[in-house]
Amino acid sequence: MNFWYELLATEGISPEDVEKEIGLFKQFLSELPSRALNLGIRILLAVIMLLIGIWIIKIFRKILKKSLKRANADTGAIQFLDSFVKIALYIVLVMMIAGSFGVDAASIVAVVGSAGVAVGLALQGSLSNFAGGVLILLLKPFKVGDYIREDSKGNEGTVIEIEMFYTKLLTFDGKTVILPNGTLANTSLVNVTASDFRRLDLTVEIPYDASIDQAKKVLNKLIDENPLVLQDKDKVVVVDALNANGVAIAIKCHVKTENYWTLRGELLENIKLGFDKEGISIPFPQLDVHNC
């Protein structure tokens, strides 16, 4: 033992310092089980707090949704507020769990505040999308269930969800298109279903040797007898153009928005059947080749 003391003395370490360090190490070993137990209890309590917090957040969101539905709030507003409340409550839950480990909530707020500028610069797009979502809910250029077509990329579909940062569209072929709210709030778009009715425009050609009056009689009969056509709105059947292959006749009538595509398909089919019955053909492009 004296040998080790002499060796340490050459390094400038006194026996008293060695004894002190050994005492501190023994104290650490004696306190280690209790500290590990305390840490384990804290981790267990944090897990329990997390599970309970998640459960409370789910219950609160359900209550919020039901309350907003009873108040006849717009579906898009309900979805937006739900996503906002979800994120806010999870942030509060994380801060509470951190506080259970001795982390001061004020320190967390100070750190978040000091990093706010950097976070804001890094999340410019997300903040723009959030602001766009707020504008959409306030100005209501469209709502859940509307069919829209935006001009920036030509995306179109039925609005199925309006979230904090993105709006989801469902296309005719069943695809889900996710568009940033910032883009929708800063670009022109067409809300196809904003009105209760739409005007249906169709154009059909007949040969030059066919009777225009006879063709118009067939077309007028079709739109007069179809129950989907709004008879109290303007209905027009007129010659629209004289094309290279025949005379173009335009059909214009109004229909309820939800019946637009049904009426369009019915009219196209019945026009072909009606023309066939009257012996009126529909011309197609022809190319005459002469041998010299």
Side-chain angles (χ1 to χ4, degrees):
M1 194 67 164
N2 292 331
F3 170 76
W4 291 108
Y5 284 141
E6 292 177 1
L7 180 62
L8 293 173
T10 59
E11 300 293 331
I13 302 175
S14 65
E16 292 77 10
D17 292 336
V18 175
E19 293 294 339
K20 184 178 179 181
E21 294 295 330
I22 293 175
L24 292 174
F25 182 70
K26 288 181 179 180
Q27 183 181 357
F28 171 77
L29 290 178
S30 63
E31 295 177 354
L32 182 60
S34 60
R35 291 186 178 183
L37 180 61
N38 291 335
L39 179 60
I41 292 174
R42 285 191 178 185
I43 293 175
L44 179 61
L45 292 176
V47 172
I48 294 174
M49 186 183 298
L50 176 64
L51 296 176
I52 295 176
I54 292 174
W55 179 76
I56 292 175
I57 290 173
K58 288 182 179 179
I59 297 298
F60 182 82
R61 289 172 60 198
K62 288 182 180 179
I63 295 174
L64 177 64
K65 289 180 182 178
K66 289 182 179 179
S67 300
L68 292 173
K69 287 179 180 178
R70 289 196 194 100
N72 295 322
D74 182 71
T75 304
I78 295 175
Q79 294 172 347
F80 184 89
L81 290 174
D82 177 59
S83 59
F84 178 79
V85 169
K86 177 183 176 181
I87 293 175
L89 291 180
Y90 272 111
I91 292 175
V92 173
L93 178 60
V94 170
M95 293 179 65
M96 290 176 62
I97 294 174
S100 68
F101 284 93
V103 180
D104 187 10
S107 301
I108 298 176
V109 174
V111 171
V112 172
S114 62
V117 176
V119 173
L121 292 174
L123 301 178
Q124 284 186 28
S126 297
L127 294 176
S128 173
N129 292 335
F130 176 78
V134 173
L135 288 176
I136 289 172
L137 291 177
L138 292 177
L139 303 179
K140 295 184 178 180
F142 58 83
K143 62 182 184 299
V144 174
D146 286 349
Y147 188 93
I148 65 171
R149 180 171 57 249
E150 58 92 16
D151 294 338
S152 63
K153 299 293 182 181
N155 294 298
E156 60 180 288
T158 302
V159 180
I160 58 175
E161 193 170 353
I162 303 174
E163 296 183 344
M164 281 185 62
F165 303 107
Y166 298 96
T167 293
K168 294 181 181 179
L169 306 182
L170 183 65
T171 63
F172 270 121
D173 54 356
K175 296 178 181 177
T176 299
V177 180
I178 302 175
L179 300 175
N181 288 335
T183 300
L184 291 176
N186 292 284
T187 187
S188 58
L189 56 86
V190 178
N191 190 335
V192 178
T193 54
S195 177
D196 293 333
F197 60 88
R198 294 178 61 184
R199 192 180 79 176
L200 174 63
D201 294 345
L202 293 176
T203 302
V204 61
E205 285 192 2
I206 62 173
Y208 276 102
D209 57 359
S211 171
I212 294 178
D213 290 337
Q214 186 181 12
K216 290 175 65 176
K217 183 179 179 180
V218 172
L219 297 175
N220 275 308
K221 183 179 180 181
L222 289 176
I223 62 175
D224 287 340
E225 296 180 352
N226 195 302
L228 297 181
V229 176
L230 299 179
Q231 302 298 332
D232 58 338
K233 302 291 183 183
D234 293 337
K235 298 177 293 181
V236 178
V237 177
V238 294
V239 174
D240 188 58
L242 301 176
N243 296 328
N245 299 306
V247 180
I249 301 179
I251 306 103
K252 303 177 188 294
C253 60
H254 290 81
V255 58
K256 288 185 177 180
T257 302
E258 63 267 23
N259 297 327
Y260 179 86
W261 293 105
T262 301
L263 177 62
R264 187 178 187 277
E266 287 184 5
L267 285 182
L268 288 174
E269 180 179 351
N270 292 331
I271 287 171
K272 178 63 171 63
L273 295 175
F275 279 6
D276 289 346
K277 185 177 180 180
E278 297 295 328
I280 302 174
S281 62
I282 298 177
F284 52 88
Q286 297 184 9
L287 177 65
D288 296 329
V289 179
H290 301 279
N291 293 324
C292 299

